[in-house]
C-alpha cells in the first residue's frame, strides 16, 4: 500500500533538482570526443582548454541572458557548443535550436559533429533515438530525446527559424550568416526571438569575426561585459592579456618565435605560454549587464604553435586578403580596411635617417610632456606645411616628480635650441603638459614657466580639440580642456597618412619597438551607451605614453594657432632680409676697408711672407 509519506517521497524525488553539474563538470564526466573530429579522442578534459571552462559554465548561470564568444579558429569553439548540446540533452532537456550559416553547413555539422558525439557518448546515445532505426524522431536536422529535441537549421532558411518556441538557441559562425533571411529581417535575431517565452532561455552566439563595422559577433561582444583572458607569467606571476605585439622572433625565422612577458621580459616557449593561459583568469572590461562576452584569440590555443602563427603572419604580409583571413582566424579580431589599421611594425618600417637634427621641412617646434610616478616623458616634434611632422627627440627623465630635480632637467631640456639648416637655432614654441597626474606640482611648474600650457583631457566624441581655457582651478593657471577623442582621432589620421600626403609623420632611425607599440596602444571600439552606439578609444596595453605625448605636442601646435605655410614664407622672407642686411653690412665693410687696407684679413704681412 502506498502511504502518504511514500507518495511525498516519490513526488519529491521526481521534483528534486538533479545534482548541480555545470556544463564543464558534465563534460568532464560524460563527454567523449570522437575519432573523426578530434586529435585527442576519448574522455573530454576541460583542463586541456581551461579558458573554455568559464564560457561553458556561464550558460547555466541564471544571471546570464546571453553568452557571446568572439573567437579565433582552432580554439575548441565547436566543442564548447557540443558540450552545451550534450549537457542540455542529458541533463536539462528542452527544445534546442542550432543555427549554422546555411542549411548545408547545418547538415554537415550534424553529420560530422553531433552524430559522432551522440554515438560515442553513452548517456547521449541512450537518450537520442538511434539513426539506424530510420526513426522519424531522428533525422539529420532533427533529433528527439526525452523532454526535448534538437533542430539544426541554416540562417538562410527563415522557415526553419520561425516556428515553435525554443528554450536554447546556439548560433555558430554568426558573422557568416546572411544579413537578412528574406522579408523576416536578421536571421539571428529571428532565432533569438523564439526564446522569448522562456524565462530560463539560453542564447549562445559564437563566431570568428569578419569585417569591422559589419560584424555581428563583435557588436554582440561589445554589448556584453567584454571578458579578456589574463594569463599569468610562469616566471613573475604577472597577469596579462596576450597580444600579437608580445610575440617575438628573429630574422623572419618562425622557428625562433617566443612570447615576451610584458612585465619581466622573459621569453616563453609554447609550453610556458599554454601554462600561462591555463593559470589565467577572465576579466571583464565593461560592467555586467546580463551578457557574458568572451574574446578567445589564437594566442590562447594549445593547438596552434607560435611558430605556425608567425609563419602564417609572414606568409600573409604581401597579400591583404591573406592578412585579413589571418587577423580573423588567428587573432580572432575584425579586419579593418587598409588605411584604417595601424600597426607598430609598419610604423617602425618608416624610420628614416634625417639629413639634420631638425629636418629642412620643419617650420615650428612644439613639445608634449607626460608625468608618471617615476619619470617624465617628453617628445619634441617639428611641424611643416600641411602638418607634416618630424619626431625630433624623445627623452625620458627618470626621477620622482614630487621633488625638483626631474623638473629642473625638464626645464633645461625645453629651453634647448634646435639647429635648423636654414633658419638657425629654433626654440620650442609651445609645450603642453597633462595636469591629470601630480596636479599640484604640475600647476606650480606651469606658473613658473613660459610657453608651457596645462591641459586636461575630457571625454566624448563631439568635444573640440581644444576648448576655452578656465582659471577656476586651485592653481589659478589657464587650463585648456582637450577633447581626447578628437585629439586621438587627429593623431591616428595623421599616422595613417601616406608619404607625401598632408599630415605624414616622420620618425628618426633608432627608436625601439616599445616606442611604436605605445603608438598603437589604443584602439577604437564601439560601445553602447544608453542604447546608443558610440566609439571610444580603449587601451590595448598598459603603456601608451608615446601616443599621449604626441597628442599633447599636437595640442601645443593647435594653441599656437599658426598658419604653417604663411609662417614659413614669413621666416624665409625674414632670412632673406637678414641676409640682405648682412650683405649690405659686408659691402659697407668692404667699402670702408678699401680706405683702411691694413685691416683686411691677413693684411699685407701674409702676402709679404708668401713673396
Ligand atoms: Zn613575467
Amino acid at each position: 500500500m502506498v502511504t502518504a509519506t511514500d507518495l511525498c517521497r516519490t513526488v519529491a524525488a521526481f521534483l528534486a533538482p538533479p545534482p548541480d553539474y555545470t556544463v564543464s563538470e558534465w563534460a568532464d564526466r560524460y563527454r567523449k570526443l570522437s575519432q573523426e573530429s578530434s586529435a585527442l579522442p576519448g574522455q573530454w578534459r576541460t583542463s586541456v582548454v581551461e579558458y573554455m571552462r568559464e564560457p561553458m559554465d556561464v550558460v547555466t548561470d541564471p544571471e546570464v541572458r546571453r553568452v557571446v564568444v568572439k573567437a579565433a579558429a582552432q580554439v575548441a569553439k565547436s566543442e564548447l557548443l557540443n558540450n552545451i548540446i550534450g549537457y542540455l540533452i542529458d541533463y536539462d532537456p528542452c527544445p534546442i535550436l542550432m543555427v549554422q550559416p546555411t542549411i548545408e553547413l547545418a547538415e554537415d555539422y550534424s553529420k560530422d559533429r553531433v552524430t559522432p558525439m551522440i554515438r560515442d557518448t553513452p548517456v547521449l546515445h541512450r537518450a537520442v533515438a538511434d539513426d539506424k532505426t530510420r526513426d522519424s524522431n531522428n533525422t539529420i536536422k532533427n533529433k528527439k530525446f526525452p523532454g526535448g529535441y534538437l533542430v539544426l537549421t541554416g540562417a538562410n532558411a527563415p522557415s526553419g527559424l520561425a516556428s515553435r518556441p525554443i528554450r536554447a538557441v546556439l548560433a555558430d559562425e554568426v558573422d557568416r550568416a546572411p544579413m537578412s533571411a528574406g522579408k523576416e529581417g536578421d536571421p539571428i535575431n529571428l532565432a533569438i526571438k523564439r526564446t522569448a517565452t522562456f524565462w530560463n532561455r539560453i542564447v549562445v552566439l559564437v563566431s570568428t569575426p569578419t569585417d569591422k563595422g559589419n560584424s555581428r559577433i563583435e557588436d554582440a561582444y561589445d554589448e556584453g561585459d567584454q571578458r579578456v583572458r589574463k594569463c599569468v607569467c610562469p616566471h613573475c606571476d604577472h597577469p596579462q592579456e596576450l597580444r600579437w605585439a608580445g610575440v617575438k622572433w628573429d630574422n623572419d625565422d618562425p622557428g625562433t618565435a617566443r612570447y615576451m612577458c610584458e612585465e619581466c621580459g622573459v621569453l616563453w616557449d609554447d609550453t610556458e605560454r599554454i601554462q600561462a593561459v591555463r593559470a589565467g583568469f577572465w576579466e571583464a572590461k565593461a560592467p555586467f549587464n546580463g551578457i557574458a562576452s568572451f574574446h578567445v584569440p589564437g594566442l590562447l590555443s594549445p593547438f596552434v604553435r607560435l611558430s605556425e602563427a608567425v609563419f602564417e603572419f609572414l606568409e600573409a604580409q604581401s597579400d591583404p586578403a591573406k592578412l585579413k583571413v589571418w587577423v580573423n582566424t588567428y587573432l580572432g579580431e575584425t579586419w579593418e580596411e587598409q588605411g584604417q589599421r595601424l600597426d607598430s611594425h609598419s610604423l617602425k618600417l618608416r624610420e628614416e635617417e634625417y639629413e639634420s637634427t631638425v629636418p629642412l621641412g620643419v617650420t615650428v617646434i612644439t613639445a608634449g610632456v607626460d608625468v608618471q610616478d617615476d619619470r617624465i616623458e617628453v617628445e619634441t616634434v617639428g611641424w611643416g606645411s600641411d602638418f607634416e611632422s618630424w619626431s625630433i627627440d624623445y627623452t625620458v627623465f627618470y626621477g620622482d616628480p614630487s621633488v625638483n630635480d626631474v623638473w629642473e632637467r625638464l626645464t633645461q631640456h625645453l629651453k634647448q635650441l634646435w639647429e635648423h639648416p636654414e633658419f638657425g637655432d629654433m626654440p620650442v614654441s609651445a609645450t603642453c603638459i597633462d595636469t591629470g597626474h601630480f596636479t599640484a606640482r604640475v600647476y606650480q611648474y606651469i606658473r613658473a614657466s613660459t610657453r608651457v600650457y596645462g591641459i586636461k583631457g575630457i571625454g566624448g566624441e563631439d568635444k573640440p580639440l581644444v576648448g576655452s581655457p578656465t582659471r577656476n582651478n586651485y592653481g589659478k593657471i589657464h587650463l585648456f580642456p582637450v577633447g581626447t577623442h578628437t585629439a586621438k582621432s587627429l593623431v591616428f589620421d595623421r599616422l595613417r597618412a601616406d608619404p607625401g600626403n598632408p599630415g605624414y609623420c616622420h620618425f628618426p632611425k633608432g627608436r625601439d619597438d616599445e616606442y611604436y607599440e605605445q603608438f598603437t596602444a589604443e584602439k577604437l571600439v564601439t560601445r553602447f551607451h544608453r542604447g546608443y552606439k558610440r566609439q571610444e578609444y580603449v587601451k590595448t596595453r598598459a603603456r601608451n605614453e608615446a601616443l599621449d605625448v604626441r597628442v599633447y605636442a599636437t595640442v601645443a601646435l593647435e594653441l599656437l594657432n599658426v598658419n604653417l605655410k604663411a609662417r614659413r614664407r614669413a621666416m624665409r622672407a625674414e632670412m632673406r632680409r637678414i641676409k640682405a642686411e648682412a650683405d649690405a653690412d659686408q659691402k659697407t665693410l668692404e667699402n670702408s676697408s678699401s680706405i683702411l687696407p691694413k685691416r683686411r684679413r691677413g693684411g699685407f704681412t701674409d702676402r709679404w711672407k708668401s713673396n
Side-chain angles (χ1 to χ4, degrees):
M1 189 183 146
V2 178
T3 64
T5 321
D6 283 343
L7 191 63
C8 281
R9 246 183 231 143
T10 313
V11 171
F14 182 74
L15 292 176
D20 270 343
Y21 281 143
T22 61
V23 174
S24 66
E25 284 164 353
W26 177 87
D28 280 332
R29 197 176 172 101
Y30 298 114
R31 172 74 203 283
K32 299 286 185 287
L33 292 164
S34 305
Q35 196 86 44
E36 57 262 59
S37 58
S38 173
L40 303 162
Q43 180 59 49
W44 164 270
R45 283 183 296 130
T46 304
S47 59
V48 173
V49 284
E50 186 57 42
Y51 55 88
M52 279 300 186
R53 187 183 299 276
E54 190 170 309
M56 285 197 280
D57 289 351
V58 291
V59 167
T60 54
D61 181 338
E63 306 261 295
V64 173
R65 287 184 288 117
R66 188 175 295 187
V67 180
V68 176
V69 181
K70 178 173 83 161
Q74 300 192 62
V75 294
K77 65 179 167 20
S78 297
E79 299 308 345
L80 161 99
L81 290 168
N82 292 343
N83 285 339
I84 296 167
I85 291 173
Y87 171 91
L88 292 172
I89 291 176
D90 175 42
Y91 192 64
D92 188 12
C94 62
I96 310 165
L97 175 67
M98 171 174 245
V99 186
Q100 291 286 339
T102 63
I103 295 257
E104 295 71 27
L105 286 169
E107 286 173 356
D108 289 349
Y109 195 92
S110 178
K111 278 187 277 192
D112 301 341
R113 300 280 191 166
V114 178
T115 304
M117 168 173 77
I118 292 170
R119 182 197 65 210
D120 294 335
T121 304
V123 288
L124 300 180
H125 190 81
R126 282 196 291 275
V128 180
D130 199 329
D131 259 324
K132 292 187 187 98
T133 61
R134 290 177 153 250
D135 189 324
S136 61
N137 285 336
N138 189 353
T139 63
I140 289 172
K141 290 186 280 183
N142 198 337
K143 297 188 186 297
K144 270 200 137 183
F145 47 86
Y149 53 86
L150 165 68
V151 176
L152 293 109
T153 190
N156 60 346
S159 59
L161 300 170
S163 45
R164 290 170 294 180
I166 291 288
R167 200 186 118 208
V169 166
L170 312 176
D172 192 13
E173 292 303 345
V174 295
D175 272 19
R176 267 119 189 128
M179 290 318 279
S180 142
K183 282 180 236 157
E184 317 287 343
D186 183 272
I188 304 300
N189 283 339
L190 208 58
I192 293 171
K193 266 189 203 152
R194 294 182 55 186
T195 63
T197 54
F198 288 90
W199 64 271
N200 54 352
R201 58 185 164 271
I202 292 168
V203 175
V204 182
L205 307 181
V206 174
S207 191
T208 300
T210 52
D211 294 332
K212 183 152 206 85
N214 200 15
S215 165
R216 279 194 188 92
I217 199 72
E218 186 153 276
D219 286 353
Y221 175 81
D222 291 345
E223 226 178 316
D225 59 1
Q226 303 172 28
R227 299 183 198 188
V228 294
R229 186 81 178 171
K230 289 287 179 81
C231 303
V232 176
C233 175
H235 300 276
C236 72
D237 289 338
H238 175 71
Q240 57 203 288
E241 201 182 329
L242 302 192
R243 302 172 195 297
W244 185 243
V247 180
K248 308 289 173 193
W249 64 92
D250 301 326
N251 309 320
D252 288 353
D253 176 7
T256 62
R258 296 285 184 276
Y259 192 90
M260 192 173 89
C261 170
E262 67 176 24
E263 182 70 14
C264 71
V266 169
L267 295 167
W268 307 341
D269 59 17
D270 279 313
T271 310
E272 289 168 308
R273 175 180 59 85
I274 291 163
Q275 203 182 328
V277 174
R278 188 173 297 153
F281 53 92
W282 288 100
E283 191 176 274
K285 287 187 167 176
F288 178 71
N289 56 3
I291 303 173
S293 61
F294 299 85
H295 180 220
V296 188
L299 283 165
L300 301 186
S301 176
F303 311 116
V304 186
R305 285 192 291 269
L306 286 175
S307 57
E308 295 171 74
V310 170
F311 177 80
E312 282 175 16
F313 173 75
L314 294 172
E315 283 283 283
Q317 280 312 290
S318 52
D319 182 351
K322 270 191 188 167
L323 195 56
K324 168 175 158 38
V325 171
W326 183 83
V327 166
N328 291 160
T329 60
Y330 184 73
L331 296 184
E333 287 173 8
T334 52
W335 170 257
E336 293 167 67
E337 275 317 308
Q338 235 177 3
Q340 291 297 301
R341 196 175 177 78
L342 253 187
D343 72 277
S344 57
H345 295 287
S346 65
L347 281 182
K348 171 94 180 156
L349 284 176
R350 64 165 75 166
E351 280 193 348
E352 56 192 285
E353 203 83 60
Y354 291 172
E355 74 272 21
S356 47
T357 317
V358 179
L360 198 59
V362 172
T363 306
V364 171
I365 297 176
T366 66
V369 176
D370 189 52
V371 183
Q372 296 285 328
D373 285 336
D374 62 341
R375 64 189 186 280
I376 293 179
E377 305 207 359
V378 47
E379 187 190 21
T380 307
V381 183
W383 302 92
S385 303
D386 294 325
F387 301 99
E388 190 173 0
S389 68
W390 287 263
S391 182
I392 294 174
D393 179 80
Y394 196 96
T395 301
V396 180
F397 297 105
Y398 285 95
D400 179 358
S402 61
V403 297
N404 286 334
D405 170 65
V406 68
W407 293 100
E408 278 157 19
R409 282 184 283 153
L410 175 67
T411 303
Q412 291 314 311
H413 185 76
L414 292 175
K415 276 186 180 164
Q416 185 178 338
L417 294 174
W418 299 89
E419 196 189 336
H420 188 281
E422 186 179 347
F423 304 131
D425 284 346
M426 290 177 87
V428 174
S429 298
T431 298
C432 277
I433 177 164
D434 182 42
T435 58
H437 213 47
F438 287 93
T439 306
R441 191 63 190 79
V442 174
Y443 283 172
Q444 191 188 336
Y445 184 77
I446 291 166
R447 270 200 312 275
S449 311
T450 48
R451 300 197 299 265
V452 177
Y453 305 97
I455 56 175
K456 186 177 172 7
I458 45 169
E461 270 178 73
D462 50 347
K463 298 291 185 296
L465 179 56
V466 185
S468 310
T470 56
R471 280 195 74 178
N472 53 0
N473 50 75
Y474 60 80
K476 293 282 173 250
I477 61 154
H478 284 108
L479 190 57
F480 291 88
V482 167
T484 314
H485 186 94
T486 309
K488 283 179 183 166
S489 299
L490 179 63
V491 168
F492 283 131
D493 281 350
R494 288 178 181 165
L495 282 168
R496 280 193 285 262
D498 288 324
N501 285 328
Y504 183 73
C505 304
H506 300 260
F507 296 99
K509 276 238 179 303
R511 299 270 162 92
D512 56 13
D513 292 352
E514 169 67 21
Y515 175 76
Y516 296 101
E517 278 164 20
Q518 290 187 14
F519 255 120
T520 51
E522 300 199 7
K523 68 172 182 180
L524 201 55
V525 297
T526 305
R527 289 269 166 87
F528 282 84
H529 184 68
R530 292 181 187 138
Y532 289 96
K533 237 182 181 180
R534 71 176 188 195
Q535 303 225 288
E536 273 174 25
Y537 285 101
V538 297
K539 270 193 186 185
T540 56
R541 66 200 297 282
R543 290 190 54 182
N544 67 342
E545 289 83 36
L547 172 64
D548 282 344
V549 294
R550 174 55 68 101
V551 166
Y552 307 155
T554 303
V555 172
L557 179 70
E558 179 73 12
L559 288 180
L560 287 174
N561 191 24
V562 50
N563 179 331
L564 287 160
K565 273 184 182 156
R567 164 74 75 101
R568 193 169 181 84
R569 277 197 302 273
M571 283 165 71
R572 284 239 159 96
E574 177 69 3
M575 291 310 289
R576 277 197 300 273
R577 193 184 62 75
I578 292 170
K579 191 167 180 301
E581 264 183 31
D583 287 352
D585 284 353
Q586 180 68 25
K587 256 196 186 129
T588 318
L589 191 65
E590 279 169 16
N591 291 341
S592 55
S593 58
S594 60
I595 42 172
L596 292 167
K598 279 177 193 167
R599 289 184 62 189
R600 287 179 74 174
R601 44 185 177 94
F604 294 107
T605 333
D606 285 349
R607 266 189 247 165
W608 237 44
K609 273 183 191 161
S610 60
N611 286 340

